[in-house]
PDB file of all heavy atoms in Angstrom:
ATOM      1  N   LEU A 398      68.379  38.318 -12.060  1.00  0.00           N
ATOM      2  CA  LEU A 398      69.550  37.731 -11.411  1.00  0.00           C
ATOM      3  C   LEU A 398      70.817  37.884 -12.241  1.00  0.00           C
ATOM      4  O   LEU A 398      71.920  37.961 -11.689  1.00  0.00           O
ATOM      5  CB  LEU A 398      69.302  36.246 -11.132  1.00  0.00           C
ATOM      6  CG  LEU A 398      68.258  35.925 -10.058  1.00  0.00           C
ATOM      7  CD1 LEU A 398      67.982  34.430 -10.015  1.00  0.00           C
ATOM      8  CD2 LEU A 398      68.738  36.405  -8.684  1.00  0.00           C
ATOM      9  N   SER A 399      70.668  37.914 -13.563  1.00  0.00           N
ATOM     10  CA  SER A 399      71.850  37.952 -14.429  1.00  0.00           C
ATOM     11  C   SER A 399      72.130  39.331 -15.021  1.00  0.00           C
ATOM     12  O   SER A 399      73.104  39.505 -15.764  1.00  0.00           O
ATOM     13  CB  SER A 399      71.697  36.930 -15.564  1.00  0.00           C
ATOM     14  OG  SER A 399      70.509  37.163 -16.300  1.00  0.00           O
ATOM     15  N   GLY A 400      71.278  40.309 -14.707  1.00  0.00           N
ATOM     16  CA  GLY A 400      71.547  41.679 -15.156  1.00  0.00           C
ATOM     17  C   GLY A 400      71.073  41.994 -16.556  1.00  0.00           C
ATOM     18  O   GLY A 400      71.574  42.932 -17.177  1.00  0.00           O
ATOM     19  N   TYR A 401      70.093  41.235 -17.064  1.00  0.00           N
ATOM     20  CA  TYR A 401      69.512  41.502 -18.378  1.00  0.00           C
ATOM     21  C   TYR A 401      68.059  41.942 -18.196  1.00  0.00           C
ATOM     22  O   TYR A 401      67.308  41.332 -17.434  1.00  0.00           O
ATOM     23  CB  TYR A 401      69.572  40.257 -19.266  1.00  0.00           C
ATOM     24  CG  TYR A 401      70.956  39.938 -19.769  1.00  0.00           C
ATOM     25  CD1 TYR A 401      71.832  39.184 -18.996  1.00  0.00           C
ATOM     26  CD2 TYR A 401      71.399  40.397 -21.008  1.00  0.00           C
ATOM     27  CE1 TYR A 401      73.118  38.898 -19.444  1.00  0.00           C
ATOM     28  CE2 TYR A 401      72.678  40.113 -21.463  1.00  0.00           C
ATOM     29  CZ  TYR A 401      73.535  39.362 -20.673  1.00  0.00           C
ATOM     30  OH  TYR A 401      74.797  39.073 -21.120  1.00  0.00           O
ATOM     31  N   TRP A 402      67.670  42.974 -18.954  1.00  0.00           N
ATOM     32  CA  TRP A 402      66.369  43.600 -18.746  1.00  0.00           C
ATOM     33  C   TRP A 402      65.402  43.432 -19.918  1.00  0.00           C
ATOM     34  O   TRP A 402      64.271  43.906 -19.855  1.00  0.00           O
ATOM     35  CB  TRP A 402      66.566  45.087 -18.436  1.00  0.00           C
ATOM     36  CG  TRP A 402      67.271  45.261 -17.135  1.00  0.00           C
ATOM     37  CD1 TRP A 402      68.623  45.305 -16.923  1.00  0.00           C
ATOM     38  CD2 TRP A 402      66.674  45.351 -15.841  1.00  0.00           C
ATOM     39  NE1 TRP A 402      68.904  45.425 -15.589  1.00  0.00           N
ATOM     40  CE2 TRP A 402      67.721  45.458 -14.893  1.00  0.00           C
ATOM     41  CE3 TRP A 402      65.360  45.356 -15.389  1.00  0.00           C
ATOM     42  CZ2 TRP A 402      67.501  45.572 -13.531  1.00  0.00           C
ATOM     43  CZ3 TRP A 402      65.119  45.467 -14.022  1.00  0.00           C
ATOM     44  CH2 TRP A 402      66.182  45.571 -13.116  1.00  0.00           C
ATOM     45  N   TYR A 403      65.826  42.779 -20.982  1.00  0.00           N
ATOM     46  CA  TYR A 403      64.930  42.645 -22.131  1.00  0.00           C
ATOM     47  C   TYR A 403      63.673  41.856 -21.789  1.00  0.00           C
ATOM     48  O   TYR A 403      62.617  42.040 -22.408  1.00  0.00           O
ATOM     49  CB  TYR A 403      65.656  42.016 -23.322  1.00  0.00           C
ATOM     50  CG  TYR A 403      66.022  40.558 -23.175  1.00  0.00           C
ATOM     51  CD1 TYR A 403      65.157  39.561 -23.589  1.00  0.00           C
ATOM     52  CD2 TYR A 403      67.251  40.187 -22.638  1.00  0.00           C
ATOM     53  CE1 TYR A 403      65.505  38.222 -23.467  1.00  0.00           C
ATOM     54  CE2 TYR A 403      67.597  38.854 -22.522  1.00  0.00           C
ATOM     55  CZ  TYR A 403      66.722  37.874 -22.933  1.00  0.00           C
ATOM     56  OH  TYR A 403      67.065  36.547 -22.808  1.00  0.00           O
ATOM     57  N   SER A 404      63.768  40.980 -20.782  1.00  0.00           N
ATOM     58  CA  SER A 404      62.586  40.205 -20.390  1.00  0.00           C
ATOM     59  C   SER A 404      61.505  41.092 -19.767  1.00  0.00           C
ATOM     60  O   SER A 404      60.315  40.813 -19.887  1.00  0.00           O
ATOM     61  CB  SER A 404      62.971  39.087 -19.424  1.00  0.00           C
ATOM     62  OG  SER A 404      63.614  39.603 -18.274  1.00  0.00           O
ATOM     63  N   ILE A 405      61.916  42.170 -19.091  1.00  0.00           N
ATOM     64  CA  ILE A 405      60.943  43.125 -18.534  1.00  0.00           C
ATOM     65  C   ILE A 405      60.205  43.810 -19.675  1.00  0.00           C
ATOM     66  O   ILE A 405      58.978  43.962 -19.645  1.00  0.00           O
ATOM     67  CB  ILE A 405      61.655  44.171 -17.652  1.00  0.00           C
ATOM     68  CG1 ILE A 405      62.393  43.506 -16.486  1.00  0.00           C
ATOM     69  CG2 ILE A 405      60.641  45.202 -17.147  1.00  0.00           C
ATOM     70  CD1 ILE A 405      61.517  42.904 -15.442  1.00  0.00           C
ATOM     71  N   ILE A 406      60.955  44.211 -20.691  1.00  0.00           N
ATOM     72  CA  ILE A 406      60.338  44.838 -21.868  1.00  0.00           C
ATOM     73  C   ILE A 406      59.393  43.851 -22.552  1.00  0.00           C
ATOM     74  O   ILE A 406      58.283  44.212 -22.949  1.00  0.00           O
ATOM     75  CB  ILE A 406      61.431  45.313 -22.846  1.00  0.00           C
ATOM     76  CG1 ILE A 406      62.277  46.408 -22.194  1.00  0.00           C
ATOM     77  CG2 ILE A 406      60.826  45.815 -24.157  1.00  0.00           C
ATOM     78  CD1 ILE A 406      63.505  46.798 -22.981  1.00  0.00           C
ATOM     79  N   TRP A 407      59.824  42.612 -22.667  1.00  0.00           N
ATOM     80  CA  TRP A 407      58.985  41.594 -23.296  1.00  0.00           C
ATOM     81  C   TRP A 407      57.705  41.364 -22.495  1.00  0.00           C
ATOM     82  O   TRP A 407      56.631  41.161 -23.064  1.00  0.00           O
ATOM     83  CB  TRP A 407      59.773  40.294 -23.429  1.00  0.00           C
ATOM     84  CG  TRP A 407      59.224  39.335 -24.460  1.00  0.00           C
ATOM     85  CD1 TRP A 407      58.080  39.491 -25.206  1.00  0.00           C
ATOM     86  CD2 TRP A 407      59.798  38.099 -24.889  1.00  0.00           C
ATOM     87  NE1 TRP A 407      57.905  38.426 -26.054  1.00  0.00           N
ATOM     88  CE2 TRP A 407      58.960  37.554 -25.871  1.00  0.00           C
ATOM     89  CE3 TRP A 407      60.946  37.406 -24.520  1.00  0.00           C
ATOM     90  CZ2 TRP A 407      59.219  36.337 -26.493  1.00  0.00           C
ATOM     91  CZ3 TRP A 407      61.217  36.193 -25.145  1.00  0.00           C
ATOM     92  CH2 TRP A 407      60.361  35.664 -26.121  1.00  0.00           C
ATOM     93  N   SER A 408      57.801  41.423 -21.175  1.00  0.00           N
ATOM     94  CA  SER A 408      56.615  41.205 -20.343  1.00  0.00           C
ATOM     95  C   SER A 408      55.581  42.307 -20.533  1.00  0.00           C
ATOM     96  O   SER A 408      54.396  42.120 -20.218  1.00  0.00           O
ATOM     97  CB  SER A 408      57.016  41.101 -18.862  1.00  0.00           C
ATOM     98  OG  SER A 408      57.416  42.349 -18.330  1.00  0.00           O
ATOM     99  N   PHE A 409      56.015  43.460 -21.024  1.00  0.00           N
ATOM    100  CA  PHE A 409      55.064  44.517 -21.384  1.00  0.00           C
ATOM    101  C   PHE A 409      54.477  44.270 -22.768  1.00  0.00           C
ATOM    102  O   PHE A 409      53.259  44.271 -22.965  1.00  0.00           O
ATOM    103  CB  PHE A 409      55.750  45.877 -21.338  1.00  0.00           C
ATOM    104  CG  PHE A 409      54.915  47.005 -21.872  1.00  0.00           C
ATOM    105  CD1 PHE A 409      53.779  47.424 -21.205  1.00  0.00           C
ATOM    106  CD2 PHE A 409      55.263  47.635 -23.063  1.00  0.00           C
ATOM    107  CE1 PHE A 409      52.987  48.456 -21.713  1.00  0.00           C
ATOM    108  CE2 PHE A 409      54.488  48.668 -23.576  1.00  0.00           C
ATOM    109  CZ  PHE A 409      53.345  49.077 -22.894  1.00  0.00           C
ATOM    110  N   LEU A 410      55.341  44.016 -23.728  1.00  0.00           N
ATOM    111  CA  LEU A 410      54.902  43.905 -25.123  1.00  0.00           C
ATOM    112  C   LEU A 410      54.040  42.678 -25.378  1.00  0.00           C
ATOM    113  O   LEU A 410      53.094  42.729 -26.168  1.00  0.00           O
ATOM    114  CB  LEU A 410      56.122  43.886 -26.045  1.00  0.00           C
ATOM    115  CG  LEU A 410      56.975  45.156 -26.077  1.00  0.00           C
ATOM    116  CD1 LEU A 410      58.269  44.906 -26.820  1.00  0.00           C
ATOM    117  CD2 LEU A 410      56.195  46.295 -26.716  1.00  0.00           C
TER     118      LEU A 410
END
Side-chain angles (χ1 to χ4, degrees):
L398 291 173
S399 56
Y401 287 86
W402 294 88
Y403 70 91
S404 57
I405 300 291
I406 296 171
W407 200 356
S408 71
F409 172 68
L410 295 170

